[in-house]
Amino acid sequence: MTKTIHQLGHNSTWNIQAHDEDGVGDGFIISPMHLGKSKLADWPVERRRRSFFDPQFVIPGDAKKNLASYEFHPGAGGDDFATQSYPQSAALPNASSCVAFQVQNDFRALVIPSRHLDVPIEDYIRQQHSLFVTPFLTAIKKSKSKKQIFLQVFLTNRMVEEVAYRDSLITWLSSLEEIDGVYLVPSYKERSGKHITSPAYIVGVMELLYKLKQNQILTVVGYTNVEGVLYSCAGADWVGMGSYENTRIFNIANFADAEGGPQQGPRPRIYAPILFQWIDYRYREPIVNANKGWVFADNRYKVLLWQLPTGKWNFQRSELYKHYFVEYTRQLQRLGGVDESTRVKSLYSELDNARSEFDRLESAGVILDSNSGGGHIPFWMTALAEFARARGWSWR
Amino acid sequence: MKFESEEALKDHFTHEGVLHKILPFRRWQRWELTELQGFFGVPDYVVAYHRQSPDGNVLLRSVAVEFKLSNWRRALEQAYRYSLFADYAYVVMDAAYVARVKRNLSIFKRANVGLVCAAAEGSAEVFHRPRLSPFRNSDLGEEFRDFLTARVAEDRVYAA
């Protein structure tokens, strides 16, 4: 069964509270950019043992925010090398330091980081091997740690959509006998809204997940939004579950050390699990007035939110995200516990029902915009059907 | 003849006074605003019609408008947002594309969004008049009404 795991970011307290008080989420993925080394040191041992640590070597030359407090991060020492380069001479020392840190903190597993690269497969494998895989495996062997080892992979569009590239990637990953799992981070370009709407990309990720599972490689899919339900049908072991949108949608720009002015906070949105959609809070009243308030599902956080006057809603209300953590985890639990082919049929049926509910909302006079209106649902149904068809499964 | 641009459509409707001739507020005073931000979406045009009642109260009715040449669906989504805080919301479109939008008139009616089609030659036809918005007493509607009331009062139209 696919489990949710908290993808930590700016307000990790909410994730921790949801984990401890509501029992949702099978641990954490730590973001050192948001949690400095001294604060992490205050964490209880039990919480660290349930956590993956993401070293975030995404852009090696940039140590943004709290990343600079981790001396093993390539950008922390103020080394004067270009953002896009990462000298071989730094690879083993950084790897040794990073592994020592992970071992010392007794994290759930050891994570080998990766750079975000969009290059031909031969170059990709060569660079990852020389800069990360070999140095880190060397350091791990020296540490004598018995922890499981996960390799991070940023999934660009071509890695996933080009069959030859994807097959080469699977071949390479399954050839690494020391690796127990992969920590995948979908990095989908051409996103026009809040969801991935390319069936080719979604099917590509699902194919990757399914084949890795066949090779008995564990999979964590990070920075996922609601599309995690699709990945569960391909056998993902964990899917990330974040609060703010930047923990549910990967954007490399968030790791660049660029100057920027103050940004306006987003409008608060509330998750409607029946619709597989986060909905702008300003549509809440017309939806409720149309006797469709049940689409938001009931838990104690919805009760708290419904008591608030509209003027008190803002994107920093923890109830919005805790409500989502509970409902999203429930969705995956409902889908889980059966084999993937049964899961596909169940999810297809639920997506079809969501599409009908959006139609019924419109018939009731509620006109939702493209960011709240479920435009992604038909694409997800197409992707699910294509994935099922490829393995001779039925989906209706 | 079609409008050359949305701006031309908007100018025709506002500066030529076409909108005010088709709404039932001809004897009311009005306070107008374009590209209003801060509520839900950015209406192309907002007008607050106001007058003093016999008992001295200030009556106020707000109308928010979205102008679009032909993309009726996008216009409807935007205007629906305005209906969540304004008393009335309208879509105004180029009459050259009326056939397509008329086939979907029932959606406008269910959404309580008004529909007007204007021709460059000067005529305008109202296909649907919305009823007073049921959301005017919501938090967003009240906030908007307070905003307009304050702006109208600033004009010092009504003696204390």
Side-chain angles (χ1 to χ4, degrees), chain A residues 282 310 362-363 365 367 369, chain B residues 39 73 80-81 110 138-139:
Chain A
R282 290 167 292 189
T310 309
E362 185 160 302
S363 296
I367 311 297
D369 63 29
Chain B
F39 290 94
R73 179 71 207 194
Y80 180 77
R81 291 181 193 167
R110 284 196 294 267
S138 68
D139 294 337

Side-chain angles (χ1 to χ4, degrees), chain B residues 1 10 22 27 32 44 49 54 60 65-67 81 88 92-93 104 107 109 118 139-140 153:
Chain B
M1 198 169 71
K10 185 174 158 185
I22 60 176
R27 298 186 198 283
E32 296 158 289
D44 289 328
Y49 291 100
L60 194 141
V65 182
E66 179 65 25
F67 294 97
R81 291 181 193 167
Y88 303 94
V92 175
M93 290 184 58
N104 295 280
I107 307 177
K109 289 179 177 176
D139 294 337
L140 204 56

Side-chain angles (χ1 to χ4, degrees), chain B residues 14-29:
Chain B
T14 54
H15 296 163
E16 302 291 323
V18 175
L19 179 68
H20 310 303
K21 288 176 190 161
I22 60 176
L23 292 178
F25 304 114
R26 287 180 209 187
R27 298 186 198 283
W28 297 46
Q29 297 186 64

Side-chain angles (χ1 to χ4, degrees), chain B residues 94-123:
Chain B
D94 189 331
Y97 304 99
V98 66
R100 194 180 301 145
V101 70
K102 267 181 76 178
R103 286 196 288 272
N104 295 280
L105 189 57
S106 59
I107 307 177
F108 282 79
K109 289 179 177 176
R110 284 196 294 267
N112 194 39
V113 171
L115 176 63
V116 179
C117 288
E121 299 82 43
S123 63

Side-chain angles (χ1 to χ4, degrees), chain B residues 5 8 10 12 33 37 43 82 94 101-102 115 120 146 150 157:
Chain B
S5 64
K10 185 174 158 185
H12 169 76
L33 191 62
Q37 299 197 28
Y82 315 153
D94 189 331
V101 70
K102 267 181 76 178
L115 176 63
D146 289 345
V157 173

Side-chain angles (χ1 to χ4, degrees), chain A residues 313-369:
Chain A
W313 286 60
N314 66 72
F315 79 102
Q316 291 173 312
R317 296 278 338 180
S318 65
E319 296 93 339
L320 293 167
Y321 309 103
K322 290 179 179 178
H323 171 271
Y324 163 65
F325 296 153
V326 169
E327 293 308 322
Y328 184 54
T329 300
R330 275 185 188 161
Q331 275 184 300
L332 282 158
Q333 284 170 343
R334 261 201 316 275
L335 285 168
V338 294
D339 58 71
E340 281 84 16
S341 62
T342 309
R343 221 176 284 175
V344 163
K345 273 181 97 163
S346 297
L347 180 58
Y348 192 90
S349 172
E350 290 190 25
L351 289 172
D352 200 24
N353 185 55
R355 186 168 57 174
S356 299
E357 282 304 331
F358 276 112
D359 289 341
R360 284 191 271 270
L361 272 171
E362 185 160 302
S363 296
V366 180
I367 311 297
L368 301 170
D369 63 29

